[in-house]
Amino acid sequence: MYYPYQITSMQQYQEAYKKSIEDPEGFWGAIAENFFWRKKWDKVLQWNFSEPKTEWFINAKLNITENCIDRHLATMADKPAIIWEPNNPEERTRTVTYARLHKRVCQFAQVLKNNGVKKGDRVCIYMGMVPELAYAVLGCARIGAIHSVVFGGFSAQSIADRLEDANVEYIVTCDGAYRGAKDIPLKSIIDDALIGNKTVKRVIVYTRTRTPISMIKGRDVWWEDEMLYAEEQLEKNGTLDFPAQEMDAEDPLFILYTSGSTGKPKGVVHSSAGYMLWTNYTFVNVFQYKPGDVFFCTADIGWITGHSYIVYGPLSAGATSLMFEGIPTWPDAGRFWDIVDKYKVNTLYTAPTAIRSLMSYGLDPIKGKDLSSLKVLGTVGEPINEEAWHWYDENIGKKKCPIVDTWWQTETGGILISNFAGITPSRPGWATLPMPGVQPLLLNEHGTPANDPEGENIASGNLCMAAPWPGIFRTTYGDHERYKSNYFAAYPGLYFTGDGALKDAEGFYRITGRVDDVLNVSGHRIGTAEVENAINMHAGVVESAVVGFPHDVKGQGIYAYVIMSHKHGDDEQSKKDILQTVTRVIGSIAKPDKIQFVNGLPKTRSGKIMRRILRKIAEGETKNLGDTTTLLDPGVVDEIQQGKL
Ligand code: WTA
């Protein structure tokens, strides 16, 4: 496959960028010609950020799976679409060709149909990183159902909330999942999530760990039985094809829940056509994909990075996507390097937290591993510190591989700011330049644009976007008002990202981190309000306040200040009880790293917690806590400082 829209020089980037801003409809209309449409659009773009409403490729019809699978069959049927590396390196690996992927996705679409799933229905997918997870996602897309993948680290309570929010009737899960030395009992967590649930009609269970599980008559069915039956049905039709549902360009493709500054995660909704275009275009350009490359994105499909750069981006480009079930440090810290060596990986896309964690094991795990196949390295999820950047560059890329620092969000669908590997300049710690069609703007807290930088001068402000790109999310599920108030109200007429950024005179951006009450722990987004709600559910807790603090490996750690009315046992036992409560309510990813018991929290006279002060104390600041004169009781600050962990 040839990519006429691949940018291959700085000059081409500049020209493309200019054209995309002056004539977005002409620019994206031409790119869209490279996809397979059942019917083309009447108009490329219609938008209004004050409503807010964005529509791309109006009245066009397509199915994303025909673009990710069917259109490759004529020339690439035997090419690996997915290479799967299991958790345990001793276990058999699997290579799924495009022909096999087509067959499995069609079979699974038939399974969904047999179980009553229709276009527009919501299907919750709670699985480990097995190829069947990709089949499930694509099977939903083929039949036009909206998938809502929930990461395997979330608790039963979190799943229950997500099932209710989207009125889910169907679930696809596994008996269990392997993650390093652990087995995670996914089906039993689903069983807990379904206590009291009245909407779920069917649970399809794929066998991975063969842990004993309960199978409820009339509700739970085995994946293997269903797939076999579907295969027989498709064979009877004389073709193994399951005709793809025709979708409108704007029909929702999926929901993915993410944390915000309120206590309740929101269901980010992505469209069919715009999302497809965006994941494909950014994949081909940022990573400078060349036919035949093996692309290894280490994320989990439970997060947006896995959706966009394990499934939709690479497959729509006809690439080979490597899917890894395990973790970077098991059975040892050489796992990634073994995989790169074994499959001759060309592009490695991972998170700064993984790099920092692997750095701490020194260079021994890299010794003897052939990393010479690597051409491009990428990072995503959080700002990368220079030390980690240089370690990655020197020891993994051997100073020969460009590193792309890709900034984006669940809401943006794909990468918005990044260098293009080997094409546009890179600079450690800087995401650098916007993609074509992306118009960043920095605003100060009063809503006025930060001055454009000149010479040594660097502008700083809150990062906004002035216009839509095709991959922008279209709403928050079931609550468009929330979409508006969360993202389009702080700066009317603009999309506000929640991040702060710097911009230099060359127009390069450096992302400095969240400016709202969202933490970024090991590249995962966690709202402080969500963690506080979970802590407050513990019986002895009166009140709590959660802030982030710098953490060597995780980027940010979670620091909780907790007031307890009564403790059952000593402080250590009480802390463990609180951690257990958070694990139950959200999942182990939200467990605080530090819990400090306090007698009071710094509050203003109107009762608002002064998090700024708590944040400074957690960061280890001892003197400059800022203005404390507006506090109701300035005395609590001394007490908190003395008890700092
Ligand atoms: C942060 C992940 C600095 C940022 C794709 C953003 C980054 C949040 C970078 C989104 C980067 C992501 N440099 N910060 N290259 N990439 N972030 O929704 O704060 O899980 O708002 O999407 O991660 O996290 P999310």
Side-chain angles (χ1 to χ4, degrees), residues 223-539:
W223 168 290
E224 295 76 14
D225 296 348
E226 296 294 307
M227 286 292 266
L228 211 60
Y229 180 57
E231 189 172 13
E232 285 164 15
Q233 279 174 296
L234 290 176
E235 268 166 6
K236 256 187 226 143
N237 298 346
T239 149
L240 282 178
D241 187 53
F242 180 95
Q245 172 70 40
E246 186 166 288
M247 305 295 283
D248 187 85
E250 282 297 314
D251 276 336
L253 175 64
F254 67 84
I255 306 171
L256 185 58
Y257 285 86
T258 191
S259 296
S261 42
T262 63
K264 197 171 158 258
K266 38 201 175 194
V268 166
V269 178
H270 280 286
S271 72
S272 297
Y275 175 80
M276 170 181 78
L277 213 85
W278 196 249
T279 53
N280 177 280
Y281 184 80
T282 52
F283 172 75
V284 166
N285 280 293
V286 171
F287 301 105
Q288 288 291 301
Y289 172 71
K290 295 285 178 305
D293 283 356
V294 175
F295 185 81
F296 178 19
C297 167
T298 70
D300 190 291
I301 295 180
W303 306 107
I304 191 69
T305 306
H307 282 62
S308 301
Y309 299 107
I310 295 177
V311 182
Y312 291 110
L315 298 180
S316 65
T320 297
S321 182
L322 201 150
M323 185 174 173
F324 173 43
E325 186 187 37
I327 57 170
T329 50
W330 190 88
D332 59 55
R335 197 71 173 99
F336 279 0
W337 324 129
D338 286 330
I339 296 175
V340 169
D341 188 341
K342 180 169 172 187
Y343 299 102
K344 306 293 165 231
V345 168
N346 302 110
T347 306
L348 175 68
Y349 190 31
T350 193
T353 185
I355 299 170
R356 287 191 299 264
S357 149
L358 293 174
M359 265 169 79
S360 70
Y361 291 85
L363 297 178
D364 273 355
I366 307 172
K367 284 205 183 107
K369 313 285 160 74
D370 180 6
L371 305 183
S372 62
S373 56
L374 286 172
K375 294 193 293 186
V376 175
L377 303 176
T379 70
V380 58
E382 45 173 325
I384 181 162
N385 48 312
E386 291 200 20
E387 196 193 350
W389 195 98
H390 287 294
W391 187 88
Y392 200 29
D393 181 37
E394 284 160 29
N395 300 298
I396 307 307
K398 317 284 184 199
K399 293 203 149 206
K400 286 194 304 243
C401 302
I403 298 178
V404 289
D405 177 352
T406 65
W407 174 83
W408 59 295
Q409 312 178 292
T410 304
E411 292 86 344
T412 70
I415 299 163
L416 290 203
I417 304 181
S418 172
N419 50 316
F420 288 7
I423 303 297
T424 65
S426 72
R427 192 186 302 161
W430 290 69
T432 74
L433 296 166
M435 296 294 112
V438 172
Q439 299 185 48
L441 211 64
L442 297 184
L443 297 214
N444 64 28
E445 72 257 40
H446 309 297
T448 43
N451 283 336
D452 240 6
E454 290 164 38
E456 296 288 290
N457 165 14
I458 288 184
S460 156
N462 290 342
L463 180 63
C464 297
M465 298 293 155
W469 58 97
I472 189 174
F473 69 133
R474 304 298 199 260
T475 189
T476 45
Y477 192 81
D479 192 352
H480 198 67
E481 203 38 54
R482 193 161 176 211
Y483 181 66
K484 183 172 182 173
S485 60
N486 267 236
Y487 299 98
F488 298 91
Y491 302 106
L494 302 176
Y495 165 69
F496 175 43
T497 63
D499 278 319
L502 307 176
K503 182 184 182 187
D504 75 0
E506 281 179 81
F508 283 18
Y509 289 88
R510 178 190 182 110
I511 313 301
T512 48
R514 302 289 303 196
V515 295
D516 53 7
D517 291 321
V518 173
L519 306 181
N520 193 327
V521 180
S522 300
H524 299 154
R525 265 166 81 167
I526 298 172
T528 53
E530 263 177 87
V531 183
E532 287 166 7
N533 289 349
I535 294 174
N536 296 350
M537 283 183 72
H538 180 61

Side-chain angles (χ1 to χ4, degrees), residues 64-298:
I64 195 167
T65 69
E66 290 185 328
N67 284 278
C68 288
I69 309 172
D70 303 50
R71 67 169 172 153
H72 306 318
L73 293 178
T75 53
M76 298 193 284
D78 297 328
K79 177 176 175 172
I82 296 173
I83 296 176
W84 180 72
E85 170 70 15
N87 181 57
N88 184 340
E90 317 263 289
E91 204 188 327
R92 187 174 65 92
T93 71
R94 287 158 68 183
T95 299
V96 183
T97 62
Y98 273 96
R100 177 55 61 105
L101 181 65
H102 178 258
K103 181 176 172 189
R104 293 285 180 250
V105 169
C106 285
Q107 257 175 286
F108 193 67
Q110 180 71 43
V111 167
L112 291 172
K113 186 176 172 194
N114 291 346
N115 283 282
V117 178
K118 296 178 303 298
K119 180 183 173 196
D121 288 347
R122 277 82 47 221
V123 177
C124 173
I125 303 178
Y126 186 66
M127 297 173 86
M129 283 285 285
V130 284
E132 284 70 17
L133 166 54
Y135 307 160
V137 162
L138 292 163
C140 286
R142 191 145 187 107
I143 198 168
I146 302 170
H147 56 77
S148 165
V149 183
V150 177
F151 173 62
F154 282 111
S155 69
Q157 182 62 54
S158 294
I159 300 167
D161 293 345
R162 286 157 172 75
L163 295 176
E164 190 191 313
D165 187 71
N167 222 330
V168 169
E169 289 175 317
Y170 307 93
I171 297 180
V172 189
T173 189
C174 298
D175 50 356
Y178 294 124
R179 257 180 88 73
K182 287 192 217 141
D183 291 3
I184 303 171
L186 297 181
K187 172 62 165 64
S188 121
I189 297 171
I190 289 288
D191 288 338
D192 288 347
L194 288 178
I195 295 171
N197 175 290
K198 296 212 168 45
T199 55
V200 172
K201 296 193 233 168
R202 187 72 78 236
V203 181
I204 302 173
V205 186
Y206 174 71
T207 312
R208 173 66 184 123
T209 55
R210 202 55 190 100
T211 5
I213 55 171
S214 75
M215 288 294 281
I216 304 294
K217 192 180 291 164
R219 188 194 73 185
D220 301 349
V221 295
W222 296 104
W223 168 290
E224 295 76 14
D225 296 348
E226 296 294 307
M227 286 292 266
L228 211 60
Y229 180 57
E231 189 172 13
E232 285 164 15
Q233 279 174 296
L234 290 176
E235 268 166 6
K236 256 187 226 143
N237 298 346
T239 149
L240 282 178
D241 187 53
F242 180 95
Q245 172 70 40
E246 186 166 288
M247 305 295 283
D248 187 85
E250 282 297 314
D251 276 336
L253 175 64
F254 67 84
I255 306 171
L256 185 58
Y257 285 86
T258 191
S259 296
S261 42
T262 63
K264 197 171 158 258
K266 38 201 175 194
V268 166
V269 178
H270 280 286
S271 72
S272 297
Y275 175 80
M276 170 181 78
L277 213 85
W278 196 249
T279 53
N280 177 280
Y281 184 80
T282 52
F283 172 75
V284 166
N285 280 293
V286 171
F287 301 105
Q288 288 291 301
Y289 172 71
K290 295 285 178 305
D293 283 356
V294 175
F295 185 81
F296 178 19
C297 167
T298 70

